[in-house]
């Protein structure tokens, strides 16, 4: 009998795979400077695509006008806050840097310790006894380390230029994706179908839903809490309210919450003697801190029908593993993996036999063998 199957040319297969791997690595190397900007642009476009379509309907079906409005909104949401943050950092760090470089930095008096009931006087006396026994020498020893730390933070300002570059690339790619979003989505779905048939298409669609769920449930909730908390700080007269608002946004994004910033501000108001505004900020902080319990589940359900614990675990784990972009990568990976795993498990029916019968059958089979 003649074997019509052709023998595999192993060296040819190996060289073909090696060539493809080299081409893929080379392409990734070339586009590496644009990957982060494109990833942010894709995330933003997927999360805001329904808003673009709504604007297009309102603007007489003109995609160009809708894209223009969306780009203006993105500039207001990204460029303006970054500029305010940089300006606040410069204004806040100027006096500190001047005090350190001129050597005029001295230990604080901590006169507010008097206002602490029962132990305030003892704390104040103990602090000044420490200063009399060498507090100035202690500060002299600590000053070089403080100066080195400040120098490091100032050196990080060089990264602002890179961040602004990524913001610019994000805006450019966002405009392109808004303009040709349907074609890009169809191409990605086509590739997914070629790669994994119907399941690949479902995975791509689920990834889009997960991104929208995170954008609505996590980012929007964090923005609402940070803005409301910042308004409370500004009205209460807390200094550096803009900088504290940005810090509060970061703590809300990583699921720590706004109280990490608001509680010290409340304590500062009480210690400074402004108990009225301290009480107002305390009540306002209670409202702001509990908003996420009501807003986040509703918004996540609007984006995708996914378990809340899955989204939050992906947000925290992705942030630790990948940085800020991990806020979206983590939930997407967990959501897609969960749905694929669930679909694979549900391909067979659930067991209907009682657990006792299964155990008895297993024991009988082992005894007979």
């Amino acid at each position: 009998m003649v074997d019509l199957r052709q023998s595999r040319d192993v060296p040819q297969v190996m060289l073909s795979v090696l060539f493809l791997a080299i081409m893929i690595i080379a392409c990734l190397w070339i586009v590496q400077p644009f990957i982060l900007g494109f990833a942010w642009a894709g995330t933003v476009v997927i999360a805001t695509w329904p808003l673009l379509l709504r604007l297009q309907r309102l603007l007489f079906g003109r995609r160009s006008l809708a894209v223009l409005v969306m780009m203006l909104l993105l500039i207001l949401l990204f460029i303006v806050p970054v500029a305010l943050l940089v300006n606040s950092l410069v204004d806040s760090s100027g006096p500190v840097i001047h005090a350190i470089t001129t050597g005029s930095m001295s230990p604080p008096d901590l006169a507010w310790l008097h206002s602490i009931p029962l132990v305030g006087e003892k704390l104040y006396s103990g602090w000044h006894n420490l200063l009399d026994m060498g507090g100035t020498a202690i500060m002299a020893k600590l000053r070089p380390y403080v100066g080195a730390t400040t120098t490091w933070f100032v050196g990080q300002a060089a990264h602002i230029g890179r961040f602004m570059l990524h913001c610019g690339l994000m805006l450019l790619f966002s405009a392109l994706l808004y303009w040709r979003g349907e074609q890009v989505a169809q191409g990605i779905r086509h590739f997914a179908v070629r790669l994994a048939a119907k399941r690949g298409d479902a995975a791509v669609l689920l990834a889009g839903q997960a991104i929208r769920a995170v954008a609505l449930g996590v980012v929007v909730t964090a923005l609402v809490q940070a803005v409301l908390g910042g308004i409370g700080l500004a009205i209460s007269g807390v200094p550096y309210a803009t900088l504290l608002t940005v810090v509060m946004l970061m703590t809300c994004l990583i699921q720590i919450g706004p109280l990490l910033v608001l509680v010290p501000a409340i304590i500062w108001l009480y210690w400074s003697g402004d108990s009225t505004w301290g009480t107002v900020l305390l009540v306002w902080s209670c409202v702001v801190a509990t908003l996420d319990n009501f807003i986040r589940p509703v918004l996540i359900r609007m984006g995708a029908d996914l378990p809340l614990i899955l989204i939050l675990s992906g947000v925290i784990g992705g942030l630790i593993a990948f940085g800020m972009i991990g806020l979206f990568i983590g939930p997407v990976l967990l959501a897609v993996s969960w749905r694929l795993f669930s679909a694979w498990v549900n391909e067979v029916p659930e067991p209907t036999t009682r657990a006792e019968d299964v155990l008895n059958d297993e024991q009988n089979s082992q005894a007979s063998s």
Side-chain angles (χ1 to χ4, degrees), residues 33-287:
F34 311 102
I35 290 178
L36 185 59
F38 187 81
W40 275 115
T43 300
V44 171
V45 171
I46 291 173
T48 59
W49 187 256
L51 179 59
L52 174 75
L53 297 181
R54 186 174 302 177
L55 286 174
Q56 183 175 344
R57 289 193 297 267
L58 293 176
L59 297 173
F60 315 103
R62 298 288 298 273
R63 174 61 63 87
S64 57
L65 295 178
V67 172
L68 180 61
V69 173
M70 289 301 300
M71 295 310 298
L72 293 176
L73 290 176
L74 290 182
I75 290 174
L76 291 176
L77 289 176
F78 287 94
I79 304 301
V80 174
V82 169
L84 291 175
L85 174 60
V86 172
N87 182 63
S88 178
L89 286 174
V90 172
D91 292 342
S92 303
S93 60
V96 177
I97 296 175
H98 176 74
I100 293 174
T101 54
T102 57
S104 59
M105 188 175 181
S106 59
D109 184 69
L110 301 185
W112 49 266
L113 290 174
H114 288 292
S115 60
I116 300 178
L118 300 178
V119 297
E121 294 294 337
K122 293 182 179 179
L123 291 176
Y124 183 79
S125 300
W127 171 249
H128 278 271
N129 289 334
L130 177 64
L131 295 184
D132 295 337
M133 290 187 300
T136 305
I138 294 174
M139 289 303 298
K141 292 182 179 180
L142 291 178
R143 189 178 295 117
Y145 299 99
V146 177
T149 304
T150 306
T151 304
W152 182 85
F153 278 109
V154 172
Q156 299 306 305
H159 296 290
I160 296 177
R162 185 182 303 174
F163 178 76
M164 295 303 295
L165 175 62
H166 286 306
C167 284
L169 291 175
M170 184 270 294
L171 293 175
L172 176 61
F173 289 137
S174 296
L176 297 176
L177 291 175
Y178 279 136
W179 186 257
R180 297 296 181 187
E182 290 86 356
Q183 291 86 339
V184 174
Q186 188 65 24
I188 295 175
R189 292 183 61 187
H190 191 185
F191 174 76
V193 171
R194 180 65 180 87
L195 191 65
K198 187 177 180 180
R199 283 187 177 178
D201 191 17
V204 170
L205 297 176
L206 180 61
Q209 292 180 357
I211 291 175
R212 192 168 295 123
V214 174
L216 289 175
V218 177
V219 178
V220 173
T221 302
L223 282 173
V224 171
Q225 287 186 294
V227 170
L228 293 178
I231 292 174
L233 293 174
I235 294 177
S236 301
V238 177
Y240 309 122
T242 304
L243 181 60
L244 293 176
T245 301
V246 176
V247 175
M248 193 161 25
L249 176 61
M250 296 297 105
T251 58
C252 291
L253 285 175
I254 62 178
Q255 306 306 302
I256 295 178
L259 292 181
L260 190 65
V261 176
L262 293 175
V263 169
I266 295 170
I267 295 174
W268 180 84
L269 286 173
Y270 277 111
W271 280 348
S272 61
D274 198 349
S275 58
T276 301
W277 283 112
T279 305
V280 172
L281 186 60
L282 175 61
V283 176
W284 184 248
S285 299
C286 294
V287 175

